[in-house]
Amino acid sequence: MRTAPFLPPHPWFGPLATGVFAVLLSAAAGAAEALVPEPLAPRSGPRGTTLFATLAPADTGIVTDNRYDDPKMWRNLYDAFVYGSSGCGVAIGDYDGDGRPDVFVVSKTGRCRLFRNLGNWKFEDVSDRAGLPGGDAGGWMKGLIGAPALTDPIDLWKQGATFVDVNNDGRLDLYVCRAGAPNWLFINQGDGTFKEEAAARGLALSDGSVVGAFGDYDRDGWLDVYVPTNLADSGRHPAGQPDRLFHNRGDGTFVDVSAAAGLSKTDTSAHSATWWDYDGDGWPDLYVANDYAVPDLLYHNNRNGTFTDVIARVVPRTPHSSMGADLGDVDNDGLVDFFVADMAATTHEKDQRGMAQIRVLFNASEYDAQPSPQFMRNALYLNNGTGRMLEAAQLAGIARTDWTWSPRLEDLDNDGRLDLHTTTGMVREFHNLDLLARIVGIESFEETRRLIRASPPMVEPNLAYRNLGDLRFEECGAAWGLDQNFVSFGVAFGDLDGDGDLDLVHVNYEAGATVLRNDSDTGHRLVVALRGVGSNRYGIGATIRIETATGPQVRQLVVARGYSSSSEPVAHFGLGDETTVRRLTVEWPSGAMQTFENLSADRRVTITEPAAAPAPVPRPAALSSQFVDVGAAQGLAVESREGRFAEGRAQALIPFRFSRRGPGLAGAISTATAATSSCLAARRSNRPGCCGQGSKAVIPRRR
């Protein structure tokens, strides 16, 4: 297996496209052009009746199983399994640098497998050759520095996986999280093999680890990692344990800086952690999605190595049982939005069968009193550039997507708008009222768990929503061939056949991985790969913007997205009918900025960061508010005290609550009209001759 060159990793086909790319760079691999375009492969297909085609394992060679055969899952580790570590993930990345993204599939208690992409939708299982655990060698861990004891078998629970370059050598390494066992860090040796070095590099965390969310939070050119955790030991830590932030020392080794960074939350039930520069200042912030009663966290990057949780002042509400999450500009306004999944049912029958009673209990609880109250449905945070998000999941028609694990925002049909794909299902329908009624009369925990285990898995079809524009989505899972009926967990996207559209792989409960080929036959596209010099080698954390005749698009390059998974580290843009990108801008984590103009569509372009000292990146100024609160100054700051009545307990089928009456009327004064304030003062003092002369005051009234 050949070793990958670093700059560029793909051969150069043809001349540079017309535009401004005349900057020559010098890097470790020698001189290279700032932008190298490559033609895309012919479209896959021919297209059948659906946009995506499911490929058989025997045809692709991606043959896996996902066993859940640890008996402790239904005994002493029942809580950790059911309430924390139910799922697992998948990772896509070109680990051998041959220009074709490869696939790593996690198995919960069986062997994880690495599949090398041979082209033409053929994959080879190279798990043994790559030196991954569980092969014929048996004692693969002997002699490794800091290796776990050989009594640590591979059947310990695995969770999430991330392809990422931790030591900045231009090759993708592999970080695998495990539940209750030391995480694995496989360092790419450049010859098709890996060496496990988690303990030696400071990342052998043994906890309820979910996934390695890598990002350069201090912008020093080296990737750090936030490891969200979930329930691992319900006896000692029934509410979960703290997440961890590890800082890269600048040599590919890590140190735990959680306390120093101000991450003081001691009990979390995280299912995902996503780097999201929500305020557009160039410094990556972090959204942590927590299950159950634990509120979500939005850590604002203070630019000095510390973080502050600002969830209450940035979002109006959060999901209650947050699962996976993803980021993307859903309305193409140039600002990156955010989506967090919950478990809200898509039909009234499923809702009343399982979630309604739970929702009533939560609605009558203290969670309503939080600054950002938790509600049992998805959240779509629309970024308006003011530092305060709007929530629009119900408006957009994507508030309820069943028991969702991995939501992903990607342009699946290349029309220039981000669509939504979700994986769904659960190992059992634990909140089924009929099942719960049967459990009530059972006194033995052992018998209760036997009954639950004997019940069927909660199998639900995966869902897909096409973005129609104007914040309108329509469900099209069946029409697009994405309604696979499994209990599905993590999903990863990548251009597996090089034709410029996004294919996907997802893992399933006690079943093999599903491989779906994108057979789109319309819409132009552009794929952007980054090669950092001052920044990390794959440009993780960069912001890529394009402009076409139909408007702007933006991507923030983040690897760990959705749930327990990582996708190919590239940015994909669907262009619709546009054949030219008028302008492409890269804002690098180092602060450097590059702009290219008049790029031809239907290309994969590799962009190398300038070696010169970065120029400051101009950031758009935050929008100023038109209104300011002057209620206290005007004597109108009246507090509304609500009575507390849990009406849902008395009327379980009531569709809306009426027990939160709210104030009679809210008033505001526009700062744009200076006369308003004086006019209001005149009204309050009964002075005549003011309000009829060009301005009007808003006076609250009693009901």
Side-chain angles (χ1 to χ4, degrees):
M1 189 174 297
R2 54 196 173 100
T3 303
F6 170 48
L7 290 174
H10 310 293
W12 175 33
F13 296 93
L16 294 176
T18 303
V20 183
F21 355 100
V23 180
L24 297 178
L25 302 174
S26 177
E33 297 291 347
L35 185 147
V36 178
E38 306 168 28
L40 298 174
R43 290 184 185 268
S44 58
R47 177 172 174 174
T49 58
T50 58
L51 179 64
F52 284 82
T54 303
L55 305 184
D59 294 333
T60 63
I62 299 181
V63 180
T64 66
D65 57 5
N66 190 15
R67 298 194 300 271
Y68 279 65
D69 53 6
D70 183 356
K72 296 189 294 294
M73 290 176 169
W74 301 99
R75 296 176 185 169
N76 57 309
L77 294 181
Y78 175 85
D79 289 344
F81 169 55
V82 170
Y83 303 119
S85 301
S86 301
C88 52
V90 59
I92 294 179
D94 181 12
Y95 81 93
D96 58 354
D98 64 356
R100 295 184 292 265
D102 312 296
V103 180
F104 178 82
V105 181
V106 175
S107 177
K108 194 65 177 182
T109 61
R111 189 185 186 190
C112 303
R113 297 190 176 274
L114 176 63
F115 297 92
R116 181 172 179 249
N117 191 339
L118 304 177
N120 198 29
W121 287 101
K122 300 296 180 184
F123 293 80
E124 176 188 12
D125 187 342
V126 295
S127 307
D128 285 343
R129 190 190 316 165
L132 299 183
D136 297 335
W140 68 279
M141 293 182 284
K142 285 184 179 179
L144 295 185
I145 298 175
L150 293 180
T151 56
D152 177 16
I154 66 163
D155 60 358
L156 290 170
W157 306 352
K158 278 81 65 181
Q159 189 86 353
T162 312
F163 269 125
V164 64
D165 183 6
V166 302
N167 54 2
N168 261 355
D169 63 355
R171 296 186 291 262
L172 288 178
D173 310 301
L174 181 62
Y175 190 58
V176 182
C177 286
R178 301 197 290 171
N183 296 339
W184 287 327
L185 175 60
F186 299 107
I187 298 297
N188 194 329
Q189 303 299 299
D191 58 0
T193 67
F194 293 86
K195 183 179 179 181
E196 205 289 318
E197 300 182 7
R201 293 181 179 268
L203 289 182
L205 176 65
S206 182
D207 208 323
S209 303
V210 178
V211 70
F214 286 84
D216 184 6
Y217 74 87
D218 56 355
R219 299 174 64 181
D220 65 352
W222 295 80
L223 288 175
D224 315 295
V225 60
Y226 185 93
V227 181
T229 64
N230 209 305
L231 192 64
D233 187 336
S234 60
R236 292 187 300 172
H237 304 285
Q241 46 282 323
D243 301 340
R244 306 294 182 87
L245 177 65
F246 295 91
H247 177 253
N248 193 324
R249 293 187 177 98
D251 58 1
T253 65
F254 296 80
V255 59
D256 188 341
V257 295
S258 307
L263 308 182
S264 58
K265 190 68 177 179
T266 58
D267 53 346
T268 62
S269 299
H271 279 310
S272 62
T274 312
W275 293 101
W276 170 40
D277 182 10
Y278 77 91
D279 55 359
D281 66 352
W283 293 79
D285 312 296
L286 185 72
Y287 191 102
V288 181
N290 286 311
D291 204 349
Y292 308 113
V294 181
D296 289 359
L297 304 166
L298 177 56
Y299 285 121
H300 176 259
N301 192 328
N302 297 325
R303 310 186 189 184
N304 59 3
T306 68
F307 293 83
T308 302
D309 180 22
V310 295
I311 191 78
R313 73 168 185 249
V314 174
V315 305
R317 72 153 192 99
T318 68
H320 181 270
S321 298
S322 296
M323 309 292 281
D326 201 14
L327 73 167
D329 183 6
V330 300
D331 52 1
N332 282 359
D333 64 352
L335 301 170
V336 179
D337 312 304
F338 203 81
F339 183 86
V340 191
D342 203 310
M343 304 183 302
T346 54
T347 68
H348 181 70
E349 184 273 332
K350 285 195 290 186
D351 177 68
Q352 295 300 311
R353 188 179 71 203
M355 304 306 297
Q357 185 178 40
I358 300 174
R359 184 173 60 251
V360 167
L361 295 177
F362 287 138
N363 284 348
S365 72
E366 68 274 13
Y367 303 131
D368 275 356
Q370 297 175 9
S372 293
Q374 297 169 266
F375 295 105
M376 300 183 69
R377 58 180 183 267
N378 303 338
L380 173 62
Y381 301 132
L382 290 182
N383 195 335
N384 58 15
T386 65
R388 175 74 179 178
M389 305 296 136
L390 307 176
E391 203 287 300
Q394 294 203 96
L395 176 66
I398 50 177
R400 297 169 177 81
T401 53
D402 290 328
W403 195 311
T404 302
W405 289 97
S406 182
R408 287 299 310 274
L409 294 166
E410 298 285 4
D411 188 354
L412 300 180
D413 58 353
N414 297 312
D415 66 351
R417 295 185 292 265
L418 292 179
D419 310 299
L420 174 66
H421 176 268
T422 68
T423 57
T424 61
M426 185 51 176
V427 296
R428 297 294 186 272
E429 191 177 5
F430 295 101
H431 49 45
N432 183 289
L433 292 179
D434 293 332
L435 179 62
L436 295 176
R438 295 173 63 189
I439 291 173
V440 168
I442 300 176
E443 297 181 357
S444 165
F445 279 115
E446 186 71 21
E447 183 64 18
T448 295
R449 292 169 183 175
R450 187 205 63 78
L451 175 62
I452 294 175
R453 188 176 185 181
S455 65
M458 185 180 178
V459 176
E460 295 181 318
N462 294 335
L463 301 172
Y465 294 82
R466 184 187 179 196
N467 189 339
L468 304 176
D470 297 324
L471 285 180
R472 295 178 299 123
F473 288 79
E474 67 172 1
E475 208 287 312
C476 58
W480 279 4
L482 293 173
D483 59 338
Q484 286 70 33
N485 217 36
F486 291 103
V487 176
S488 300
F489 297 117
V491 59
F493 286 81
D495 185 9
L496 296 177
D497 52 4
D499 65 352
D501 52 31
L502 291 174
D503 313 296
L504 66 96
V505 180
H506 62 74
V507 293
N508 308 301
Y509 171 69
E510 293 193 332
T514 300
V515 179
L516 291 151
R517 185 186 67 206
N518 191 328
D519 287 341
S520 62
D521 53 5
T522 59
H524 298 283
R525 54 259 190 252
L526 183 75
V527 179
V528 180
L530 301 181
R531 297 294 175 258
V533 176
S535 304
N536 64 86
R537 293 299 175 92
Y538 284 83
I540 305 304
T543 298
I544 304 136
R545 303 178 186 275
I546 69 168
E547 296 177 23
T548 67
T550 55
Q553 295 189 51
V554 61
R555 305 283 187 268
Q556 287 180 4
L557 189 54
V558 177
V559 286
R561 298 168 59 182
Y563 171 76
S564 287
S565 302
S566 67
S567 293
E568 182 184 7
V570 299
H572 166 268
F573 295 90
L575 304 178
D577 296 330
E578 300 300 324
T579 59
T580 301
V581 175
R582 292 177 175 177
R583 182 177 293 104
L584 184 151
T585 302
V586 181
E587 300 169 11
W588 292 88
S590 68
M593 177 182 283
Q594 286 170 290
T595 299
F596 308 93
E597 296 181 351
N598 299 322
L599 303 180
S600 298
D602 303 323
R603 297 287 187 273
R604 178 186 175 113
V605 298
T606 301
I607 299 175
T608 302
E609 183 181 16
V617 176
R619 300 284 173 181
L623 299 177
S624 60
S625 299
Q626 182 179 355
F627 293 92
V628 295
D629 185 353
V630 296
Q634 299 295 335
L636 298 175
V638 179
E639 181 180 355
S640 175
R641 293 179 175 84
E642 301 288 351
R644 303 192 66 80
F645 170 58
E647 59 191 321
R649 294 185 179 182
Q651 301 185 53
L653 299 181
I654 193 169
F656 304 104
R657 287 187 298 174
F658 296 94
S659 58
R660 300 295 186 265
R661 293 172 297 177
L665 182 67
I669 300 176
S670 172
T671 60
T673 308
T676 303
S677 181
S678 59
C679 178
L680 180 58
R683 285 284 298 272
R684 295 179 63 208
S685 60
N686 295 319
R687 284 188 282 118
C690 178
C691 287
Q693 301 176 5
S695 63
K696 293 184 179 180
V698 181
I699 305 296
R701 298 180 182 275
R702 295 181 180 272
R703 282 193 290 185

